[in-house]
């Protein structure tokens, strides 16, 4: 049987590293993208020490040459890609909207929106060579317009992450557009919400473990051929846009 090949961005720590581990535990060859070579190679070495198939590819999602180089490298090594997980992300704005700077807003979009778009676009030709391509955009309930628009929703009331939330709403639109574009090709595109997970991003205040946070993105990465496309999901089921 042909091996399934996945590429995970921001795979050196947090949810991305755990997504990589869970995919590898299912027999997937995981290519781990990281912007710091040392940290990426260390994460790959840890996977290999556990007996998993893993490779390293350097990737900074904010750099078009870096993204193009990563796509060319995976094409050279494998000639195709079955699963793309757009996981790399930042949350820089833990302040009320009135105190958010345009620079922090822009920097957030550079990674969470343009980064995911750049990577999706660059890797689409390789995904088209797969028999069953899957794209998972690691999103967040904070990106839900309907939740944020509900004044009685406790998450909306507490939410002080305008740039991050807007970036995940934009990422969800990327999910919808690529899902519509690729409908009928066999390539499925979905947003996966990990839930509030203890990682460096929130100084480990999240309530879920990385094992729990990675579960939904992994499930979407391994969707069967009759699975959904163009949706947002958490471990509770479909999520509101
Ligand atoms: P994390 O521990 O801070 O990890 C973020 C990862 O993204 C790191 O590997 C980081 O690499 C990488 N990254 C950031 N900018 C990058 C760039 N320009 N190019 C390549 N890689 C880059 O955060 P996390 O909690 O695991 O978050 C992973 C994803 O889950 C994010 O998209 C986040 O928005 C989403 N999410 C998290 C939660 C949560 O509660 N934690 C909830 C919902 C959604 P470096 O090590 O080089 O910085």
């Amino acid at each position: 049987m042909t091996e399934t090949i996945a590429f995970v961005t921001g795979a050196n720590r947090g949810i991305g590293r755990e997504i990589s581990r869970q995919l590898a535990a299912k027999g997937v060859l995981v290519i781990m993208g990281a912007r710091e070579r040392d940290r990426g190679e260390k994460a790959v070495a840890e996977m290999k020490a556990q007996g998993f198939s893993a490779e390293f590819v350097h990737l900074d999602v904010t750099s078009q040459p870096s993204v193009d180089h990563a796509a060319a490298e995976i094409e050279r090594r494998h000639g195709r890609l079955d699963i793309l997980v757009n996981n790399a992300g930042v949350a820089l704005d833990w302040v009320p909207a009135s105190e958010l700077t345009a620079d922090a807003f822009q920097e957030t979009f550079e990674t969470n929106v343009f980064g995911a778009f750049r990577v999706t676009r660059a890797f689409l030709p390789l995904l088209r060579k797969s028999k069953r391509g899957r794209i998972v955009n690691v999103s967040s309930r904070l990106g839900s317009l309907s939740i944020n628009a509900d004044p009685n929703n406790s998450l909306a009331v507490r939410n002080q992450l305008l740039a991050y939330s807007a970036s995940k709403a934009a990422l969800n639109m990327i999910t919808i557009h690529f899902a519509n574009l690729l409908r009928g090709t066999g390539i499925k595109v979905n947003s996966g919400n990990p839930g509030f997970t203890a990682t460096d991003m929130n100084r480990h205040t999240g309530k879920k473990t990385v094992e729990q946070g990675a579960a939904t993105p992994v499930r979407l990465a391994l969707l069967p051929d009759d699975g959904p496309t163009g949706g947002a999901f958490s471990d509770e089921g479909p999520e509101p846009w």
Side-chain angles (χ1 to χ4, degrees):
M1 222 176 87
T2 319
E3 191 169 40
T4 301
I5 304 166
F7 181 50
V8 181
T9 72
N12 55 296
R13 61 186 168 103
I15 295 168
R17 186 171 66 177
E18 178 59 19
I19 290 170
S20 303
R21 195 193 64 78
Q22 291 186 17
L23 286 173
K26 300 265 187 197
V28 174
L29 166 61
V30 182
I31 303 165
M32 301 171 78
R35 60 180 162 173
E36 294 288 338
R37 182 168 292 278
D38 290 355
R39 282 185 273 176
E41 285 177 344
K42 184 166 173 271
V44 167
E46 285 166 3
M47 290 270 284
K48 286 184 172 167
Q50 295 175 62
F52 296 136
S53 299
E55 296 178 2
F56 169 70
V57 163
H58 180 265
L59 177 82
D60 180 343
V61 302
T62 64
S63 159
Q64 188 67 50
S66 172
V67 171
D68 290 343
H69 181 268
E73 181 61 19
I74 293 176
E75 163 130 59
R76 187 186 67 75
R77 288 188 205 169
H78 301 289
R80 69 165 211 286
L81 185 68
D82 303 305
I83 296 167
L84 169 64
V85 183
N86 283 311
N87 165 80
V90 292
L92 306 170
D93 57 320
W94 301 85
V95 292
S98 54
E99 291 172 31
L100 174 64
T101 65
D103 283 350
F105 212 139
Q106 200 166 345
E107 204 182 324
T108 304
F109 265 58
E110 198 52 61
T111 302
N112 297 5
V113 182
F114 307 134
F117 171 69
R118 250 183 226 111
V119 172
T120 303
R121 206 163 170 258
F123 281 82
L124 197 52
L126 288 177
L127 286 156
R128 285 187 189 274
K129 292 182 185 170
S130 168
K131 290 198 171 66
R132 39 167 22 203
R134 304 285 181 265
I135 301 173
V136 182
N137 291 325
V138 180
S139 190
S140 168
R141 193 168 278 182
L142 292 176
S144 163
L145 292 175
S146 38
I147 287 175
N148 280 283
D150 178 357
N152 298 315
N153 187 293
S154 60
L155 183 63
V157 171
R158 288 197 314 273
N159 185 3
Q160 292 204 332
L161 282 160
L162 168 59
Y164 180 79
S165 303
S167 76
K168 295 300 185 181
L171 180 64
N172 287 342
M173 189 61 84
I174 292 172
T175 294
I176 293 169
H177 271 253
F178 276 96
N180 289 344
L181 177 77
L182 297 167
R183 217 173 281 275
T185 64
I187 301 177
K188 296 182 186 299
V189 191
N190 290 289
S191 287
N193 299 352
F196 191 36
T197 303
T199 65
D200 295 343
M201 182 172 274
N202 49 45
R203 296 185 185 170
H204 295 264
T205 56
K207 305 293 177 228
K208 290 184 165 183
T209 63
V210 283
E211 288 81 2
Q212 294 167 325
T216 293
V218 167
R219 182 174 66 77
L220 296 172
L222 298 172
L223 277 177
D225 291 344
D226 61 354
T229 189
F233 301 90
S234 72
D235 56 10
E236 293 167 28
E239 292 274 290
W241 291 124

